[in-house]
Amino acid sequence: MLVPFRQFVVKLHSRCDLACDHCYIYEHRDTQWRGRPRATPEEVLARTAERIAEHAEAHHLGAVHVVLHGGEPLLAGPKTIEFAARQLESRLPDSCALDLRIHTNGVLLDRQFCDLFLAHDIKVGISLDGDRAANDLHRRYGDGRSSYDKVIEAVALLRQPEYRRLYAGLLCTIDVRNDPLAVYRALMELDPPRLDFLLPHATWEYPPLRPDGPGSTPYARWLGAIYERWDAEGRPVPVRTFDSVLRTLRGQSSLTENLGLDPADLVVIETDGTLEQADSLRTAFDGAAGTGFNVFDDDFDRAARHPGMIDRQLGLAGLSATCQACPVVSSCGGGLFAHRYRADTGFDNPSVFCGDLKEFITMVADREEVGPALADRQLGELAAGYGGAEAVRVLAGQQLELDRLLLARAAESELSAGASALGQLLEAFDAAEAEAFDQVLAHPYTRTWAARPEPEGGGLAEFAAAVALRAGADPAVRVPVRDGAVRLPGIGRLLVEPGTTAVAIRGAEDGFTAVTDAGAVVRIRWTGQDPRWQPVREVAAGPDWTVRLEDTDPYRDAHGHPVAERLGDAELACWDRGLTEAWDLVKRLLPGYAAGIATGLSVITPLRRPAEGRGLSSSARSAFGAVGIARPDASDTLALLLVHEFQHVKLGAVLDRDDLFDPADERLFHAPWREDLRPLEGLFQGTYAHVAVTEYWRALGRSLRQDGRPADHAEAEFARWRDHTARAVATLAGSGSLTPLGTRFVEGMAATVEPWLDPVVSNTVSPGTPFVR
Ligand code: SF4
């Protein structure tokens, strides 16, 4: 869906009366201004106002923000400014409020301008870089004279009682050679209603000034010094950069396009009526901001569909792999789009201020102790389909508490059947061996067992033995034999002689001993090769993710699909290779999902393979942290199955925590990818999983194209799943059954998927991917 523009930067004049050497319009890469009229003709202003009004009406906008800009807009003179204001006022629909501002260097500001601004309620923002020394470093006239006194006069005028309400604030461009506290003090002495500190425009091609050399973070330190003072003073005035970090840390929207993941909604109208992207892009390369559209021939919807505009509306999905995996991405958002530019990779990079942004945001987060409130931000990530390590860790912690309750309930019934000694042992373990206890509790099939304990009771002994082995604790635990084996949850399975009914398990440094009731002793070493011992084996898919292949636990059948028998060496090697390749692919294509998977997916249960090696997968609400997969032949399919199923795992954990829809709603809904109708939970789960599936195909198609390889299949799959998912999101949104949190999830998914609806991609239907759900 189109993201409408809400911010319009209207250029009134394309020249400036100052010659600041850090100006990104005249002093950086762009030269487009040279060919444009100096002053904006009235017909451009009239047409612009008409287009803004048309856009506001079409998108039912309650307000638009218009900034009169330049060059130096006051050079346009009062008559032009008044004309622009009148055009906007007269054309906008009554239902749409006009927030009209002017951004000026202030040197020409006088009473005539101020009276005009009063008449049309035009707020005034002034550029000022601090005290005289700081300001004089850059903001001078062409002949070298300082502009400082004139700017101070302008601010003094705005501070007069009759004009005070026009005073919008001060914008300071950072130069790290200036003393940050002196700058802050000088600005605060001017009693601004609002402050903003802007990073100087820079790219990887033209990096910012770093007096201590590459890799240093002077901007973080500079901003940090002011933040600490501002905080200590009780935050006496809003500071847009600081408030944006604070807001985004709490899951709220940013107040600036320089930070956060909110879609860009700003367009620039040049003096000749051409429509451009954000001015800051001029710092990247000549013509970088261009769209090729103009107010006379094109409406704003057309400009909003420009690929450059869409790229800035993609949120997390539009960021580089590094940013997607970054712990502060929700606040940083990859920084300002222009600051990511590098000649060879375009904008697919972190910000050139990455180190500074990460350090500053982390500093604020630490000071704020945003821990408890992180839940809101994490929910925001999860709602959009993602969820990094932190979010998944929180879900895992909540699941553990749920498991603890279920274990207690299961234990109660077993203990009432006379297993009090075991109960005491478990209590002792819970207190003294908490880590080992929680490791066994977190085994995905503990809950499956606890939710359906043996008809004749039992299961606690296996649990206790597993805790004892993990903890290296001393007492032997007597464990019953079931189906010819002793189950040690999450650790493995010991096969015993026929007729054995129970064994006493006692841990040893290098393994354990099992003593049968008949007195036979079995000695198992962790590193040994005893055919009676079947350990759960681990696969290190990469340095950052190790997963257990569970083929011993009888409760692994939770996935509702026949499980594979114990894997032979050849099959194990295939899993090892397949997972290593698949994980590499997940990290490359879907870094926004990878950190969550590495944190939360601890077990894969191999399912029985269907014919043709196509693969198949399933998950279960009762088995957090596990997915069932029938290994496909192709590792790219395995990557897709992993990502798809882990979406179900995450959403299942959310649903264990909160209702997303009315649980009493028993209606069935159409899911575009299935022939049968689905209950709301099934539709929600499928939609959530297909957000990731869609992103997988999108990323794969892009990657193939970049490598010069055929991408038709991936692009067709992308188009298919994108359309399915968007329709499912709409069905959920219209269900009338969503809770407030469910609405947030549906809106989050919509915000991820809708920008994908614009790219022109072939919609050829191709064979589906075989998911069980
Ligand atoms: S801190 Fe760096 S890696 Fe993280 S989101 Fe910002 S630019 Fe990207």
Side-chain angles (χ1 to χ4, degrees):
M1 200 178 77
L2 189 85
V3 177
F5 294 122
R6 288 186 167 79
Q7 301 184 66
F8 302 85
V9 175
V10 179
K11 298 296 184 81
L12 293 185
H13 203 279
S14 74
R15 299 293 188 276
C16 189
D17 41 3
L18 295 183
C20 310
D21 60 6
H22 60 359
C23 178
Y24 57 93
I25 296 185
Y26 304 116
E27 303 293 335
H28 287 200
R29 266 44 72 192
D30 195 67
T31 60
Q32 306 292 309
W33 56 274
R34 292 182 200 279
R36 298 213 161 101
R38 282 171 179 262
T40 309
E42 287 191 348
E43 58 270 27
V44 170
L45 293 172
R47 189 67 175 139
T48 298
E50 201 176 339
R51 288 288 193 200
I52 293 175
E54 174 187 292
H55 195 68
E57 201 146 20
H59 295 283
H60 311 290
L61 302 182
V64 291
H65 309 276
V66 179
V67 182
L68 305 176
H69 214 285
E72 170 46 47
L74 296 187
L75 286 175
K79 188 166 156 284
T80 298
I81 295 172
E82 180 164 29
F83 181 83
R86 282 194 191 285
Q87 288 294 315
L88 287 162
E89 289 159 355
S90 62
R91 291 179 193 266
L92 275 175
D94 291 343
S95 55
C96 181
L98 172 64
D99 172 32
L100 188 55
R101 290 165 189 262
I102 192 162
H103 186 86
T104 169
N105 62 32
V107 297
L108 290 179
L109 193 74
D110 60 13
R111 285 188 175 275
Q112 187 187 2
F113 277 121
C114 285
D115 289 337
L116 173 66
F117 298 158
L118 268 187
H120 295 279
D121 197 20
I122 304 174
K123 305 285 189 306
V124 185
I126 302 262
S127 297
L128 179 66
D129 290 351
D131 55 16
R132 180 184 294 278
N135 204 59
D136 283 356
L137 205 50
H138 299 288
R139 307 191 67 81
R140 290 175 177 271
Y141 289 93
D143 59 7
R145 276 179 301 133
S146 165
S147 65
Y148 183 73
D149 291 332
K150 282 283 180 198
V151 183
I152 295 300
E153 274 175 38
V155 176
L157 193 57
L158 288 173
R159 291 173 65 192
Q160 298 290 316
E162 67 264 44
Y163 300 131
R164 173 77 203 185
R165 74 179 175 86
L166 301 176
Y167 189 12
L170 301 174
L171 287 93
C172 166
T173 300
I174 299 169
D175 188 312
V176 290
R177 291 170 295 181
N178 293 326
D179 174 353
L181 296 183
V183 167
Y184 175 66
R185 201 165 43 245
L187 297 175
M188 288 300 290
E189 277 168 9
L190 300 175
D191 192 21
R194 187 173 303 275
L195 279 182
D196 201 6
F197 296 102
L198 307 173
L199 291 168
H201 289 317
T203 65
W204 289 100
E205 298 302 313
Y206 295 92
L209 176 73
R210 295 189 189 281
D212 294 335
S216 59
T217 51
Y219 297 89
R221 291 201 305 275
W222 202 93
L223 281 168
I226 296 182
Y227 183 91
E228 283 177 7
R229 175 63 57 87
W230 174 75
D231 198 29
E233 288 176 355
R235 305 179 185 179
V237 10
V239 178
R240 197 163 62 147
T241 303
F242 299 166
D243 290 329
S244 291
V245 172
L246 290 167
R247 284 172 60 85
T248 50
L249 282 173
R250 294 188 161 81
Q252 298 166 334
S253 60
S254 173
L255 303 172
T256 166
E257 65 167 334
N258 303 350
L259 292 166
L261 292 169
D262 305 298
D265 60 358
L266 178 149
V267 63
V268 177
I269 301 95
E270 280 295 341
T271 56
D272 59 357
T274 53
L275 303 179
E276 299 225 322
Q277 303 171 65
D279 255 357
S280 51
L281 278 168
R282 296 169 193 280
T283 202
F285 55 89
D286 195 13
T291 65
F293 302 127
N294 69 78
V295 279
F296 295 103
D297 302 324
D298 308 290
D299 60 20
F300 284 124
D301 279 6
R302 196 144 180 228
R305 289 198 182 88
H306 183 274
M309 296 286 190
I310 289 172
D311 272 352
R312 295 189 297 119
Q313 295 171 345
L314 292 175
L316 189 64
L319 298 185
S320 67
T322 309
C323 291
Q324 287 194 19
C326 172
V328 302
V329 68
S330 317
S331 281
C332 176
L336 189 69
F337 195 81
H339 295 174
R340 303 174 201 162
Y341 181 72
R342 194 192 290 268
D344 52 354
T345 46
F347 296 94
D348 190 19
N349 309 297
S351 166
V352 71
F353 292 100
C354 174
D356 297 279
L357 291 166
K358 201 176 285 177
E359 185 176 317
F360 177 66
I361 292 166
T362 305
M363 182 277 272
V364 175
D366 288 349
R367 280 178 68 93
E368 289 296 300
E369 294 178 357
V370 282
L374 276 178
D376 192 55
R377 185 183 56 165
Q378 290 155 354
L379 274 175
E381 286 175 15
L382 289 164
Y386 303 97
E390 283 174 13
V392 172
R393 223 171 271 128
V394 172
L395 291 179
Q398 290 166 346
Q399 289 288 303
L400 200 65
E401 291 316 305
L402 198 54
D403 292 342
R404 205 180 298 281
L405 283 176
L406 286 165
L407 176 73
R409 198 179 304 158
E412 207 176 284
S413 68
E414 199 168 327
L415 296 180
S416 65
S420 57
L422 193 57
Q424 285 166 7
L425 184 63
L426 273 174
E427 267 180 37
F429 281 164
D430 195 7
E433 308 293 353
E435 194 179 333
F437 191 97
D438 284 356
Q439 280 173 352
V440 181
L441 194 60
H443 173 56
Y445 302 114
T446 293
R447 193 188 317 169
T448 316
W449 155 71
R452 54 174 161 112
E454 298 290 323
E456 71 279 15
L460 268 190
E462 286 96 327
F463 185 94
V467 176
L469 287 186
R470 284 197 179 276
D474 203 29
V477 182
R478 190 168 181 279
V479 183
V481 173
R482 304 179 204 274
D483 298 328
V486 171
R487 168 184 177 250
L488 295 167
I491 299 177
R493 175 169 68 183
L494 178 69
L495 305 180
V496 296
E497 293 292 328
T500 309
T501 53
V503 295
I505 301 281
R506 182 187 292 274
E509 247 180 37
D510 57 351
F512 65 92
T513 56
V515 182
T516 69
D517 282 350
V521 179
V522 177
R523 176 96 175 84
I524 298 295
R525 286 194 173 78
W526 299 134
T527 53
Q529 294 285 331
D530 191 317
R532 292 168 295 183
W533 173 237
Q534 297 182 336
V536 176
R537 289 160 294 186
E538 290 188 339
V539 171
D544 45 359
W545 185 43
T546 296
V547 65
R548 279 174 282 151
L549 283 178
E550 176 58 83
D551 56 1
T552 66
D553 193 325
Y555 292 97
R556 71 188 190 282
D557 64 355
H559 302 284
H561 198 79
V563 295
E565 294 304 326
R566 176 75 172 171
L567 306 182
D569 289 345
E571 179 62 7
L572 191 65
C574 289
W575 271 103
D576 197 321
R577 192 172 50 248
L579 281 171
T580 304
E581 291 172 5
W583 182 236
D584 183 58
L585 204 60
V586 169
K587 285 194 292 184
R588 267 196 303 116
L589 297 182
L590 298 168
Y593 295 86
I597 291 175
T599 305
L601 183 51
S602 58
V603 166
I604 294 173
T605 286
L607 301 179
R608 195 177 297 160
R609 300 184 75 196
E612 300 158 12
R614 289 171 61 224
L616 175 149
S617 62
S618 181
S619 54
R621 270 283 282 280
S622 64
F624 179 84
V627 298
I629 292 181
R631 185 182 60 77
D633 289 338
S635 51
D636 54 354
T637 307
L638 181 56
L640 185 52
L641 297 177
L642 283 171
V643 172
H644 177 118
E645 290 309 329
F646 195 65
Q647 291 296 95
H648 293 313
V649 172
K650 284 187 297 186
L651 194 67
V654 172
L655 287 165
D656 279 345
R657 220 187 76 120
D658 294 296
D659 285 334
L660 298 182
F661 48 83
D662 178 1
D665 189 340
E666 293 181 347
R667 289 175 298 161
L668 297 176
F669 294 84
H670 172 63
W673 49 86
R674 288 178 69 124
E675 284 178 6
D676 56 339
L677 297 176
R678 304 290 291 148
L680 258 179
E681 180 174 343
L683 180 64
F684 223 120
Q685 280 280 15
T687 310
Y688 196 70
H690 288 129
V691 170
V693 169
T694 307
E695 186 149 358
Y696 169 87
W697 288 115
R698 176 173 178 272
L700 182 64
R702 285 182 153 200
S703 163
L704 291 170
R705 278 254 177 266
Q706 267 170 11
D707 294 348
R709 293 157 63 198
D712 294 352
H713 174 71
E715 288 174 352
E717 286 290 293
F718 164 57
R720 188 160 79 98
W721 289 109
R722 177 199 62 192
D723 294 347
H724 280 347
T725 310
R727 279 164 52 209
V729 167
T731 304
L732 287 170
S735 68
S737 239
L738 300 179
T739 62
L741 185 63
T743 302
R744 184 165 177 192
F745 265 69
V746 170
E747 287 174 355
M749 290 190 281
T752 300
V753 174
E754 283 172 359
W756 295 335
L757 291 169
D758 271 314
V760 181
V761 179
S762 158
N763 203 13
T764 314
V765 174
S766 57
T769 309
F771 300 109
V772 169
R773 192 175 297 275

